[in-house]
């Protein structure tokens, strides 16, 4: 008789991002990974992992899994999926890659994923369903709301505030004490030295708002 304990994790979204999350789950001791994706049954596998159903199937099986992670890059869509899962009583614990450094004084919300090489420093608070991507850094006392994506190599100085569903692009830099509104976008490689409004997209060094076309 086998002595191996099966600990199952479900991942909603069979994507490249999902593959990264699957490996992090395995590194955290999950021994069985099941993907769910709305392209099922046409999509039956992703690499060596099975795709076991679609979103509706997962909703019916939420209590079968020790953890469920939504691997969808679009912030609003990801949070809507999490809200549905929460309503059904799903367990959506944060996942942290073993090479990431998360202070014991930081807080991570349900469903948040911290990727390889990322750093979250003391007294920062990361909301639910966030992505702190590869080698990103979040310095002391930052307040990151639900559904934010901090892209690979993005760096936040101390006491930055980021509201819900905002996207901080790859390699961007955010000056200390900056406030960034909800549903905003900071373009890749930008340096933010002024506050960013809700729904605003900023680009450049220093970052400036893109004016909407007439």
């Amino acid at each position: 008789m086998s002595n191996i304990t099966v600990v199952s994790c479900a991942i909603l979204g069979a994507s490249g991002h999902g593959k990264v999350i699957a490996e992090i789950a395995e590194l955290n001791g999950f021994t069985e990974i099941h993907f769910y994706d709305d392209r099922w049954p046409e999509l039956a596998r992703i690499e060596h992992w099975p795709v076991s159903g679609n979103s509706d199937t997962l909703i019916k099986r939420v209590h079968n899994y020790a953890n469920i992670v939504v691997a969808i890059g679009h912030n609003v869509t990801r949070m809507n999926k999490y809200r549905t899962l929460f309503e059904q009583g799903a367990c959506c614990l944060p996942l942290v890659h073993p090479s990431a450094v998360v202070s014991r004084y930081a807080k991570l919300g349900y469903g948040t994923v911290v990727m390889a090489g990322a750093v979250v420093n003391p007294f920062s608070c990361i909301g639910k369903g966030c992505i702190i991507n590869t080698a990103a850094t979040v310095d002391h006392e930052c307040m990151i709301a639900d559904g934010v994506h901090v892209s690979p190599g993005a760096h936040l100085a101390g006491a930055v505030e980021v509201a819900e569903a905002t996207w901080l692009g790859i390699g961007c830099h955010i000056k200390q004490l900056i406030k960034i509104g909800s549903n905003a976008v900071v373009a890749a490689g930008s340096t933010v030295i002024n506050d960013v409004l809700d729904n605003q997209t900023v680009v450049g060094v220093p970052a400036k708002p893109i004016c909407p076309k007439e």
Side-chain angles (χ1 to χ4, degrees):
M1 181 180 292
S2 173
N3 292 321
I4 297 174
T5 300
V6 175
V7 185
S8 298
C9 179
I11 299 173
L12 179 58
S15 61
H17 179 55
K19 295 177 189 179
V20 178
I21 290 175
E23 184 188 34
I24 296 172
E26 290 178 344
L27 291 169
N28 275 266
F30 290 95
T31 55
E32 189 171 84
I33 307 296
H34 291 171
F35 276 89
Y36 289 82
D37 193 285
D38 288 339
R39 292 170 290 172
W40 178 87
E42 288 77 15
L43 181 65
R45 301 192 72 78
I46 176 170
E47 303 298 346
H48 58 282
W49 297 291
V51 178
S52 301
N54 58 22
S55 298
D56 293 334
T57 314
L58 178 58
I59 291 299
K60 297 173 183 176
R61 299 176 180 172
V62 292
H63 299 296
N64 293 355
Y65 295 100
N67 198 18
I68 299 176
V69 185
V70 180
I72 295 174
H74 188 271
N75 292 335
V76 173
T77 303
R78 184 171 68 257
M79 287 313 299
N80 286 339
K81 295 293 187 182
Y82 268 126
R83 289 186 186 101
T84 301
L85 290 167
F86 292 149
E87 288 170 1
Q88 299 302 315
C91 183
C92 301
L93 301 173
L95 279 179
V96 178
H97 192 282
S99 71
V101 178
V102 177
S103 169
R104 59 178 174 168
Y105 298 117
K107 294 181 179 179
L108 302 180
Y110 291 115
T112 282
V113 178
V114 183
M115 303 296 197
V119 176
V120 180
N121 272 333
F123 304 105
S124 284
C125 183
I126 313 296
K128 296 188 286 291
C130 291
I131 302 168
I132 309 300
N133 221 316
T134 308
T137 62
V138 178
D139 213 337
H140 60 88
E141 300 167 292
C142 287
M143 297 290 115
I144 310 298
D146 297 346
V148 170
H149 185 169
V150 182
S151 294
H155 300 297
L156 282 64
V160 170
E161 296 181 22
V162 184
E164 286 188 2
T166 280
W167 191 299
L168 305 181
I170 189 168
C172 71
H173 298 80
I174 316 296
K175 180 178 173 287
Q176 68 271 17
L177 303 173
I178 289 294
K179 295 181 180 178
I180 299 177
S182 61
N183 296 292
V185 175
V186 175
S190 298
T191 297
V192 179
I193 61 173
N194 296 302
D195 291 349
V196 178
L197 302 178
D198 293 349
N199 305 304
Q200 197 169 59
T201 296
V202 297
V203 178
V205 181
K208 295 181 180 180
I210 293 178
C211 295
K213 294 182 179 179
E214 295 290 337

